[in-house]
Amino acid sequence: KALPIIKCNCRHLNTHQTHNPAPQQLVGVVGLEIHAQINSSTKLFSGAPVRFSAPPNSLVSFFDASLPGTLPVLNKRCVEAAVMTGLALNCAINRKSLFDRKHYFYADLPAGYQITQQRLPIAVDGVLTYSLLGGKKRNQVMRKNVTIKQIQLEQDSGKSLHDDVRSQTLIDLNRAGVGLMELVMEPDMSCGEEAAAAVRELQLILQALGTCQGNMSEGQLRVDANVSVHRPGEPLGVRTEVKNINSIRYLARAIDYEIQRQIDVLQRGGTVQNETRAYDSKSGFMPEPNLPPLILYEDNASLPTGIDACQVVVVQKIKEGLPELPSVKRDRLVQTYGILPEHSFTLVNEDGLVDYFEAVLKTTKKEPRKVIGWVTNELLGHLKQEDMSVCQSPISPSALAELLELQETGHISSSVAKQVFQKMWRSPGKTALQITQEQDLGLVSDTAQLHSICQKVVDSHPDEVHAIRSGNKKVLNKLMGLVQKETKGRADPVLVRAILQKKTS
Amino acid sequence: LTGRNLWQMHLLRPGRISPTELCRKCLNRIRKTQHLNAYITVTEERALEQAQQAERRLQRGVPKGPLDGIPFAVKDNFCTENIRTTCASRMLKDYTPPYNATVVQKLLDQGAVLMGKTNMDEFAMGAGSTDGAFGAVKNPWGYAAPYGERTRADPDSDWVVTGGSSGGSAAAVASLTSYLALGSDTGGSTRNPGSLCGVVALKPTYGLLSRHGLIPLVNSMDVPGIMTRSVNDAAIVLGILQGLDVRDSTTVPAPSSLTELPEDFDVKNICVGIPKEYHAPGLSEETLAQWSRVADLFEEAGARVEQVSLPHTQYSIVCYHVLCHAEVASNMARFDGLEYGHRSQMDSSTEVMYASTRHEGFNDVVRGRILSGNYFLLKRNYQHYFVKAQKVRRLITNDFQHVFSSGVDVLLTPTTLTDAARYRDFTQEDNRTRSAQEDVFTQPANMAGLPAVSVPTALSRRGLPIGLQLIAPALQDQTLLSVAQWIEQRVGFPSIVSTQMLSSLDLLQSLSEGFHIISI
């Protein structure tokens, strides 16, 4: 589920570069390799469907099982997804890219090699901008950049299931050949929180683009971190890999743990061991001879004559179709509605919440800065409690807007509004007005009635009245609370205050 | 139907010979020539069934195409649906593919009748068809009258090889058990046995025929090959097989659908190049003589015949070996006993199972190439071997481009150094040495992806076929075949003809067309 904005609290590790540590202090260096499963109905090089949790080996084409004589045929949708992702991450899109075979013997890699883009990937040299909350009160938005070295298209592997009891390995090839985008992020990060924030931002971008569903627990987004420590200005230390993390929260923890472990090892006078498997560095690459170079075209004008525009990928066309990216959306929300930056993060983090917020604003005169609290506290709080998504909310944006209108026009008090919200949540379909009328929750503005209630309160609390008269004006609030208790929160607070002030003066 | 379609005009004309009759005759001949070991699998029942269907279509006057009812054979490295496809390896001894290779499917779609799967060197690695799990293929010409009469050879001990690796397909066409056969050609594997077995053997331009379903040797050089008894037949088959295939991204659209060869091709306006580097050591006097003879024929007919130079030819074989072995190492990685194919009984761990499966499944030649290929692909060797070999390959390609852009239309070369060797002589050398020797003239065309064809030209003193090769610029397959047919029309190469095979009418017809008849 969505995280609120990630707070950077890695200072306790003594690793935070931005705090300009002393030269001899060890700091963490984190790079990421991210595998994002391309959201496509079929695999990268075959027509087999892509689906999560289908029966084992039910989504396997002849090619996916590496039957002899089968050949890869590149899926255009996967190319478009990679180009779109590259553009969103400010990459240079290579007009020509190449496919290679990377060889290793794995039971779940049936061909004995993976088709990937080692030499010339589809996109290079991009930047991902992400934000962290920092500062003393953790309410200061800090923007950071991480360089995207490259995005390459490659095949996913199948899955091996080891049955130790029967000493068997079972292979499921459903995932074999699913299209992946491998994103390589340079070691520009210094702690788990930064890495987590970068991954979270990437996840939002991919979801906004629709190029990857980004669900980490289903393995649609898999993150490996390269972690090392060094003293600033010195060469990078020996790096180790943190792998197979299936949530962003654990990613941050695992990285910080590894940084601390390496620091401890070095401070004890030990050395960090590189645990990368040896064959990785020796394994052979070879050009994939069955796939010609992948050629992309800048715009329709650059298409060679006689080529079918449906058969090729035109970068300009994809550029024009790019949706609003999360960072742009946040800036727009802050600018347009005057809400706080951290609120914009909350809105954008939760799928559908921005739309909800904007839909509420359309039908209420209430100020956006007042509406935001309702959406990010009342609504989101209730949703989280019941593990629901925004689209499952029993209170529609227009229903919430109606409630807020009642409050705005002075028909109900803010505390009653919260009660009505609770009731609306539990009895969907009933409007705020209906509930207010049925339960007689309308604001009590009858001066005579309020006078008598206030008199009762004043009479039964002589000590408080004395305190007020001696100059402790704050005690008035207590009396106000008692009046509201009497009226179940329906009393018009402005009137009550005026009456009480008169009676205690 | 045009008058140029030999098979249908001469053989399937209604009332002369029906598809089922033809199929039975071919099946009979397969039985009679079993000693050749040309087939690994004979698909007798299916063949008869297909022939009957063809017969009904012909009777109704609605043939599927020019090949309807024509028997054909397929090298056992093309996948055939529900028919085992072994690559002549223990690894795939019992492997039955669930789909047809595109080129096989195209022939079936024409109504052609599949007789069986032909023998070869294991995974097409060889130049003799002597290194397969099902034994060596024997050259039909070793059992024909001329060889026996001229050499007094003992057929049991002095039999000659077919060349390879598509030796089974060449033997099938030469011994009249099929009218056409598919081979594969990576370094000469179609043209080499075609030449030694006296049949027309075409390696089309790379990419013109789909490789989908061809179990690869070297993906960047493999081309399905066409073997027939006449050049025109090869042109007809090419016309059917060529063209874009969505399942093979390296295919290109056919430059023209027209596959009819011109009746009277005029060589006056063409320039024939004679590459001087092809005067290679080991070239037999007789082959050289045939080369000169045909060059003279061109000159006499008014063609320009020029000596040309392809200076990087000498590096072709060693370059080929690096690229071939590297791709072999990669392509063979999938044979691990998990999804299909042979699986070893030794399964104490996945790794042990892999190792013993691959040890038991592959012969020494395949294992040797995998070993050296993996060596070439090692990170530390990659630049030094693979990348360097690719650069040399580019130089070889440039050689050809240079010659063709200087006005040469077609190159004329020998196909092989000599006529077919006796098996016991051939096996004196190991597979590697033999491949290096045998592919010397054929292999550069694969490097450059160019179309090339071997045309039988004469019988040697030993009574064995000698072929010459023509090489043309990419996608000039049509011109290539036109020139080849011009040679064919003039050299008067004798055919093997079975007297049991043909009716007397056929015999008369063949004689009247000027065929020399040699019976076996």
Side-chain angles (χ1 to χ4, degrees), chain B residues 449-478:
Chain B
L450 304 177
V453 63
S454 177
V455 191
T457 48
L459 289 185
S460 67
R461 277 193 294 273
R462 297 158 68 216
L464 297 175
I466 294 172
L468 291 181
Q469 176 182 233
L470 292 167
I471 305 171
L475 297 172
Q476 295 293 315
D477 303 62
Q478 185 98 8

PDB file of all heavy atoms in Angstrom, chain B residues 449-478:
ATOM      1  N   GLY B 449      26.167 -13.746 -46.711  1.00  0.00           N
ATOM      2  CA  GLY B 449      24.720 -13.890 -46.880  1.00  0.00           C
ATOM      3  C   GLY B 449      24.264 -13.945 -48.329  1.00  0.00           C
ATOM      4  O   GLY B 449      23.107 -13.681 -48.644  1.00  0.00           O
ATOM      5  N   LEU B 450      25.178 -14.274 -49.237  1.00  0.00           N
ATOM      6  CA  LEU B 450      24.875 -14.205 -50.673  1.00  0.00           C
ATOM      7  C   LEU B 450      24.238 -15.493 -51.195  1.00  0.00           C
ATOM      8  O   LEU B 450      24.486 -16.576 -50.665  1.00  0.00           O
ATOM      9  CB  LEU B 450      26.175 -13.953 -51.455  1.00  0.00           C
ATOM     10  CG  LEU B 450      26.957 -12.718 -51.040  1.00  0.00           C
ATOM     11  CD1 LEU B 450      28.255 -12.626 -51.832  1.00  0.00           C
ATOM     12  CD2 LEU B 450      26.108 -11.464 -51.260  1.00  0.00           C
ATOM     13  N   PRO B 451      23.435 -15.385 -52.251  1.00  0.00           N
ATOM     14  CA  PRO B 451      22.877 -16.597 -52.847  1.00  0.00           C
ATOM     15  C   PRO B 451      23.960 -17.329 -53.642  1.00  0.00           C
ATOM     16  O   PRO B 451      24.797 -16.700 -54.281  1.00  0.00           O
ATOM     17  CB  PRO B 451      21.790 -16.056 -53.776  1.00  0.00           C
ATOM     18  CG  PRO B 451      22.248 -14.686 -54.154  1.00  0.00           C
ATOM     19  CD  PRO B 451      23.012 -14.161 -52.966  1.00  0.00           C
ATOM     20  N   ALA B 452      23.925 -18.643 -53.557  1.00  0.00           N
ATOM     21  CA  ALA B 452      24.897 -19.454 -54.282  1.00  0.00           C
ATOM     22  C   ALA B 452      24.244 -20.771 -54.645  1.00  0.00           C
ATOM     23  O   ALA B 452      23.368 -21.255 -53.931  1.00  0.00           O
ATOM     24  CB  ALA B 452      26.136 -19.694 -53.426  1.00  0.00           C
ATOM     25  N   VAL B 453      24.668 -21.315 -55.759  1.00  0.00           N
ATOM     26  CA  VAL B 453      24.072 -22.576 -56.198  1.00  0.00           C
ATOM     27  C   VAL B 453      25.166 -23.475 -56.748  1.00  0.00           C
ATOM     28  O   VAL B 453      26.121 -23.000 -57.363  1.00  0.00           O
ATOM     29  CB  VAL B 453      22.966 -22.320 -57.264  1.00  0.00           C
ATOM     30  CG1 VAL B 453      23.529 -21.697 -58.529  1.00  0.00           C
ATOM     31  CG2 VAL B 453      22.208 -23.610 -57.589  1.00  0.00           C
ATOM     32  N   SER B 454      25.034 -24.760 -56.470  1.00  0.00           N
ATOM     33  CA  SER B 454      25.954 -25.722 -57.065  1.00  0.00           C
ATOM     34  C   SER B 454      25.226 -26.460 -58.183  1.00  0.00           C
ATOM     35  O   SER B 454      24.107 -26.950 -57.995  1.00  0.00           O
ATOM     36  CB  SER B 454      26.447 -26.717 -56.006  1.00  0.00           C
ATOM     37  OG  SER B 454      27.277 -27.680 -56.617  1.00  0.00           O
ATOM     38  N   VAL B 455      25.869 -26.491 -59.339  1.00  0.00           N
ATOM     39  CA  VAL B 455      25.271 -27.161 -60.501  1.00  0.00           C
ATOM     40  C   VAL B 455      26.170 -28.326 -60.896  1.00  0.00           C
ATOM     41  O   VAL B 455      27.383 -28.149 -61.072  1.00  0.00           O
ATOM     42  CB  VAL B 455      25.185 -26.196 -61.711  1.00  0.00           C
ATOM     43  CG1 VAL B 455      24.341 -26.795 -62.817  1.00  0.00           C
ATOM     44  CG2 VAL B 455      24.650 -24.851 -61.278  1.00  0.00           C
ATOM     45  N   PRO B 456      25.612 -29.533 -61.055  1.00  0.00           N
ATOM     46  CA  PRO B 456      26.449 -30.646 -61.496  1.00  0.00           C
ATOM     47  C   PRO B 456      26.895 -30.429 -62.939  1.00  0.00           C
ATOM     48  O   PRO B 456      26.099 -30.001 -63.776  1.00  0.00           O
ATOM     49  CB  PRO B 456      25.535 -31.861 -61.354  1.00  0.00           C
ATOM     50  CG  PRO B 456      24.154 -31.342 -61.259  1.00  0.00           C
ATOM     51  CD  PRO B 456      24.223 -29.922 -60.788  1.00  0.00           C
ATOM     52  N   THR B 457      28.166 -30.697 -63.199  1.00  0.00           N
ATOM     53  CA  THR B 457      28.647 -30.413 -64.554  1.00  0.00           C
ATOM     54  C   THR B 457      29.171 -31.646 -65.283  1.00  0.00           C
ATOM     55  O   THR B 457      29.048 -31.749 -66.489  1.00  0.00           O
ATOM     56  CB  THR B 457      29.769 -29.360 -64.532  1.00  0.00           C
ATOM     57  OG1 THR B 457      30.721 -29.725 -63.538  1.00  0.00           O
ATOM     58  CG2 THR B 457      29.213 -27.997 -64.207  1.00  0.00           C
ATOM     59  N   ALA B 458      29.769 -32.572 -64.542  1.00  0.00           N
ATOM     60  CA  ALA B 458      30.338 -33.736 -65.242  1.00  0.00           C
ATOM     61  C   ALA B 458      30.610 -34.841 -64.247  1.00  0.00           C
ATOM     62  O   ALA B 458      30.541 -34.645 -63.029  1.00  0.00           O
ATOM     63  CB  ALA B 458      31.646 -33.331 -65.927  1.00  0.00           C
ATOM     64  N   LEU B 459      30.923 -36.019 -64.783  1.00  0.00           N
ATOM     65  CA  LEU B 459      31.404 -37.107 -63.939  1.00  0.00           C
ATOM     66  C   LEU B 459      32.928 -37.135 -64.012  1.00  0.00           C
ATOM     67  O   LEU B 459      33.514 -36.885 -65.063  1.00  0.00           O
ATOM     68  CB  LEU B 459      30.846 -38.448 -64.408  1.00  0.00           C
ATOM     69  CG  LEU B 459      29.353 -38.700 -64.184  1.00  0.00           C
ATOM     70  CD1 LEU B 459      29.003 -40.118 -64.604  1.00  0.00           C
ATOM     71  CD2 LEU B 459      28.949 -38.453 -62.742  1.00  0.00           C
ATOM     72  N   SER B 460      33.527 -37.427 -62.873  1.00  0.00           N
ATOM     73  CA  SER B 460      34.983 -37.524 -62.839  1.00  0.00           C
ATOM     74  C   SER B 460      35.433 -38.842 -63.466  1.00  0.00           C
ATOM     75  O   SER B 460      34.608 -39.673 -63.825  1.00  0.00           O
ATOM     76  CB  SER B 460      35.459 -37.460 -61.385  1.00  0.00           C
ATOM     77  OG  SER B 460      35.022 -38.628 -60.703  1.00  0.00           O
ATOM     78  N   ARG B 461      36.730 -39.005 -63.545  1.00  0.00           N
ATOM     79  CA  ARG B 461      37.259 -40.269 -64.084  1.00  0.00           C
ATOM     80  C   ARG B 461      36.772 -41.463 -63.276  1.00  0.00           C
ATOM     81  O   ARG B 461      36.635 -42.547 -63.778  1.00  0.00           O
ATOM     82  CB  ARG B 461      38.791 -40.229 -64.084  1.00  0.00           C
ATOM     83  CG  ARG B 461      39.376 -39.510 -65.290  1.00  0.00           C
ATOM     84  CD  ARG B 461      40.867 -39.761 -65.412  1.00  0.00           C
ATOM     85  NE  ARG B 461      41.609 -39.175 -64.294  1.00  0.00           N
ATOM     86  CZ  ARG B 461      42.054 -37.908 -64.286  1.00  0.00           C
ATOM     87  NH1 ARG B 461      41.842 -37.124 -65.320  1.00  0.00           N
ATOM     88  NH2 ARG B 461      42.722 -37.450 -63.255  1.00  0.00           N
ATOM     89  N   ARG B 462      36.509 -41.195 -61.948  1.00  0.00           N
ATOM     90  CA  ARG B 462      36.016 -42.288 -61.104  1.00  0.00           C
ATOM     91  C   ARG B 462      34.513 -42.493 -61.255  1.00  0.00           C
ATOM     92  O   ARG B 462      33.922 -43.339 -60.583  1.00  0.00           O
ATOM     93  CB  ARG B 462      36.335 -41.991 -59.626  1.00  0.00           C
ATOM     94  CG  ARG B 462      37.821 -41.923 -59.334  1.00  0.00           C
ATOM     95  CD  ARG B 462      38.089 -41.121 -58.058  1.00  0.00           C
ATOM     96  NE  ARG B 462      37.604 -41.816 -56.873  1.00  0.00           N
ATOM     97  CZ  ARG B 462      37.057 -41.212 -55.813  1.00  0.00           C
ATOM     98  NH1 ARG B 462      36.903 -39.904 -55.822  1.00  0.00           N
ATOM     99  NH2 ARG B 462      36.655 -41.906 -54.777  1.00  0.00           N
ATOM    100  N   GLY B 463      33.911 -41.677 -62.102  1.00  0.00           N
ATOM    101  CA  GLY B 463      32.472 -41.837 -62.297  1.00  0.00           C
ATOM    102  C   GLY B 463      31.647 -41.147 -61.230  1.00  0.00           C
ATOM    103  O   GLY B 463      30.500 -41.510 -60.997  1.00  0.00           O
ATOM    104  N   LEU B 464      32.248 -40.140 -60.586  1.00  0.00           N
ATOM    105  CA  LEU B 464      31.530 -39.423 -59.522  1.00  0.00           C
ATOM    106  C   LEU B 464      31.313 -37.971 -59.945  1.00  0.00           C
ATOM    107  O   LEU B 464      32.124 -37.401 -60.677  1.00  0.00           O
ATOM    108  CB  LEU B 464      32.341 -39.479 -58.223  1.00  0.00           C
ATOM    109  CG  LEU B 464      32.558 -40.888 -57.656  1.00  0.00           C
ATOM    110  CD1 LEU B 464      33.479 -40.845 -56.450  1.00  0.00           C
ATOM    111  CD2 LEU B 464      31.221 -41.537 -57.285  1.00  0.00           C
ATOM    112  N   PRO B 465      30.209 -37.371 -59.465  1.00  0.00           N
ATOM    113  CA  PRO B 465      29.849 -36.022 -59.935  1.00  0.00           C
ATOM    114  C   PRO B 465      30.848 -34.943 -59.499  1.00  0.00           C
ATOM    115  O   PRO B 465      31.445 -35.013 -58.433  1.00  0.00           O
ATOM    116  CB  PRO B 465      28.493 -35.765 -59.265  1.00  0.00           C
ATOM    117  CG  PRO B 465      27.985 -37.093 -58.858  1.00  0.00           C
ATOM    118  CD  PRO B 465      29.186 -37.932 -58.568  1.00  0.00           C
ATOM    119  N   ILE B 466      30.971 -33.965 -60.390  1.00  0.00           N
ATOM    120  CA  ILE B 466      31.719 -32.749 -60.087  1.00  0.00           C
ATOM    121  C   ILE B 466      30.744 -31.593 -60.285  1.00  0.00           C
ATOM    122  O   ILE B 466      30.023 -31.557 -61.290  1.00  0.00           O
ATOM    123  CB  ILE B 466      32.924 -32.580 -61.039  1.00  0.00           C
ATOM    124  CG1 ILE B 466      33.947 -33.687 -60.785  1.00  0.00           C
ATOM    125  CG2 ILE B 466      33.558 -31.192 -60.863  1.00  0.00           C
ATOM    126  CD1 ILE B 466      35.081 -33.712 -61.806  1.00  0.00           C
ATOM    127  N   GLY B 467      30.720 -30.687 -59.309  1.00  0.00           N
ATOM    128  CA  GLY B 467      29.814 -29.550 -59.429  1.00  0.00           C
ATOM    129  C   GLY B 467      30.580 -28.241 -59.448  1.00  0.00           C
ATOM    130  O   GLY B 467      31.706 -28.159 -58.974  1.00  0.00           O
ATOM    131  N   LEU B 468      29.960 -27.234 -60.025  1.00  0.00           N
ATOM    132  CA  LEU B 468      30.527 -25.891 -59.962  1.00  0.00           C
ATOM    133  C   LEU B 468      29.542 -24.984 -59.240  1.00  0.00           C
ATOM    134  O   LEU B 468      28.331 -25.239 -59.240  1.00  0.00           O
ATOM    135  CB  LEU B 468      30.805 -25.351 -61.365  1.00  0.00           C
ATOM    136  CG  LEU B 468      31.938 -26.013 -62.143  1.00  0.00           C
ATOM    137  CD1 LEU B 468      32.074 -25.339 -63.504  1.00  0.00           C
ATOM    138  CD2 LEU B 468      33.265 -25.960 -61.386  1.00  0.00           C
ATOM    139  N   GLN B 469      30.098 -23.945 -58.644  1.00  0.00           N
ATOM    140  CA  GLN B 469      29.273 -23.042 -57.862  1.00  0.00           C
ATOM    141  C   GLN B 469      29.182 -21.677 -58.529  1.00  0.00           C
ATOM    142  O   GLN B 469      30.152 -21.173 -59.088  1.00  0.00           O
ATOM    143  CB  GLN B 469      29.893 -22.874 -56.465  1.00  0.00           C
ATOM    144  CG  GLN B 469      29.166 -21.874 -55.592  1.00  0.00           C
ATOM    145  CD  GLN B 469      29.827 -21.688 -54.232  1.00  0.00           C
ATOM    146  OE1 GLN B 469      29.178 -21.807 -53.214  1.00  0.00           O
ATOM    147  NE2 GLN B 469      31.106 -21.414 -54.214  1.00  0.00           N
ATOM    148  N   LEU B 470      27.995 -21.097 -58.448  1.00  0.00           N
ATOM    149  CA  LEU B 470      27.794 -19.711 -58.854  1.00  0.00           C
ATOM    150  C   LEU B 470      27.400 -18.909 -57.622  1.00  0.00           C
ATOM    151  O   LEU B 470      26.617 -19.388 -56.794  1.00  0.00           O
ATOM    152  CB  LEU B 470      26.673 -19.617 -59.897  1.00  0.00           C
ATOM    153  CG  LEU B 470      26.956 -20.222 -61.274  1.00  0.00           C
ATOM    154  CD1 LEU B 470      25.656 -20.321 -62.069  1.00  0.00           C
ATOM    155  CD2 LEU B 470      27.973 -19.368 -62.035  1.00  0.00           C
ATOM    156  N   ILE B 471      27.950 -17.715 -57.496  1.00  0.00           N
ATOM    157  CA  ILE B 471      27.596 -16.828 -56.386  1.00  0.00           C
ATOM    158  C   ILE B 471      27.140 -15.503 -56.974  1.00  0.00           C
ATOM    159  O   ILE B 471      27.787 -14.967 -57.885  1.00  0.00           O
ATOM    160  CB  ILE B 471      28.811 -16.573 -55.458  1.00  0.00           C
ATOM    161  CG1 ILE B 471      29.409 -17.889 -54.961  1.00  0.00           C
ATOM    162  CG2 ILE B 471      28.422 -15.685 -54.278  1.00  0.00           C
ATOM    163  CD1 ILE B 471      30.743 -17.736 -54.223  1.00  0.00           C
ATOM    164  N   ALA B 472      26.019 -14.985 -56.466  1.00  0.00           N
ATOM    165  CA  ALA B 472      25.475 -13.734 -57.007  1.00  0.00           C
ATOM    166  C   ALA B 472      25.312 -12.709 -55.881  1.00  0.00           C
ATOM    167  O   ALA B 472      25.379 -13.061 -54.705  1.00  0.00           O
ATOM    168  CB  ALA B 472      24.133 -14.004 -57.682  1.00  0.00           C
ATOM    169  N   PRO B 473      25.075 -11.450 -56.235  1.00  0.00           N
ATOM    170  CA  PRO B 473      24.803 -10.447 -55.195  1.00  0.00           C
ATOM    171  C   PRO B 473      23.519 -10.777 -54.435  1.00  0.00           C
ATOM    172  O   PRO B 473      22.667 -11.498 -54.961  1.00  0.00           O
ATOM    173  CB  PRO B 473      24.642  -9.137 -55.978  1.00  0.00           C
ATOM    174  CG  PRO B 473      25.249  -9.393 -57.314  1.00  0.00           C
ATOM    175  CD  PRO B 473      25.091 -10.853 -57.581  1.00  0.00           C
ATOM    176  N   ALA B 474      23.390 -10.240 -53.234  1.00  0.00           N
ATOM    177  CA  ALA B 474      22.221 -10.503 -52.399  1.00  0.00           C
ATOM    178  C   ALA B 474      20.935 -10.204 -53.158  1.00  0.00           C
ATOM    179  O   ALA B 474      20.856  -9.213 -53.896  1.00  0.00           O
ATOM    180  CB  ALA B 474      22.289  -9.659 -51.133  1.00  0.00           C
ATOM    181  N   LEU B 475      19.984 -11.092 -53.010  1.00  0.00           N
ATOM    182  CA  LEU B 475      18.647 -10.993 -53.599  1.00  0.00           C
ATOM    183  C   LEU B 475      18.631 -11.127 -55.128  1.00  0.00           C
ATOM    184  O   LEU B 475      17.600 -10.901 -55.755  1.00  0.00           O
ATOM    185  CB  LEU B 475      17.946  -9.693 -53.163  1.00  0.00           C
ATOM    186  CG  LEU B 475      17.695  -9.602 -51.646  1.00  0.00           C
ATOM    187  CD1 LEU B 475      17.177  -8.225 -51.260  1.00  0.00           C
ATOM    188  CD2 LEU B 475      16.716 -10.684 -51.185  1.00  0.00           C
ATOM    189  N   GLN B 476      19.755 -11.513 -55.688  1.00  0.00           N
ATOM    190  CA  GLN B 476      19.802 -11.769 -57.137  1.00  0.00           C
ATOM    191  C   GLN B 476      19.672 -13.264 -57.401  1.00  0.00           C
ATOM    192  O   GLN B 476      20.289 -13.809 -58.327  1.00  0.00           O
ATOM    193  CB  GLN B 476      21.106 -11.236 -57.744  1.00  0.00           C
ATOM    194  CG  GLN B 476      21.267  -9.727 -57.669  1.00  0.00           C
ATOM    195  CD  GLN B 476      20.260  -9.011 -58.549  1.00  0.00           C
ATOM    196  OE1 GLN B 476      20.059  -9.403 -59.696  1.00  0.00           O
ATOM    197  NE2 GLN B 476      19.615  -7.997 -58.022  1.00  0.00           N
ATOM    198  N   ASP B 477      18.859 -13.930 -56.600  1.00  0.00           N
ATOM    199  CA  ASP B 477      18.704 -15.381 -56.720  1.00  0.00           C
ATOM    200  C   ASP B 477      18.196 -15.779 -58.111  1.00  0.00           C
ATOM    201  O   ASP B 477      18.577 -16.809 -58.659  1.00  0.00           O
ATOM    202  CB  ASP B 477      17.734 -15.912 -55.653  1.00  0.00           C
ATOM    203  CG  ASP B 477      18.191 -15.555 -54.247  1.00  0.00           C
ATOM    204  OD1 ASP B 477      18.280 -14.347 -53.952  1.00  0.00           O
ATOM    205  OD2 ASP B 477      18.465 -16.480 -53.464  1.00  0.00           O
ATOM    206  N   GLN B 478      17.340 -14.918 -58.640  1.00  0.00           N
ATOM    207  CA  GLN B 478      16.748 -15.191 -59.950  1.00  0.00           C
ATOM    208  C   GLN B 478      17.821 -15.212 -61.046  1.00  0.00           C
ATOM    209  O   GLN B 478      17.884 -16.134 -61.857  1.00  0.00           O
ATOM    210  CB  GLN B 478      15.735 -14.082 -60.226  1.00  0.00           C
ATOM    211  CG  GLN B 478      14.944 -14.260 -61.465  1.00  0.00           C
ATOM    212  CD  GLN B 478      13.589 -14.869 -61.134  1.00  0.00           C
ATOM    213  OE1 GLN B 478      13.242 -15.002 -59.964  1.00  0.00           O
ATOM    214  NE2 GLN B 478      12.859 -15.255 -62.137  1.00  0.00           N
TER     215      GLN B 478
END
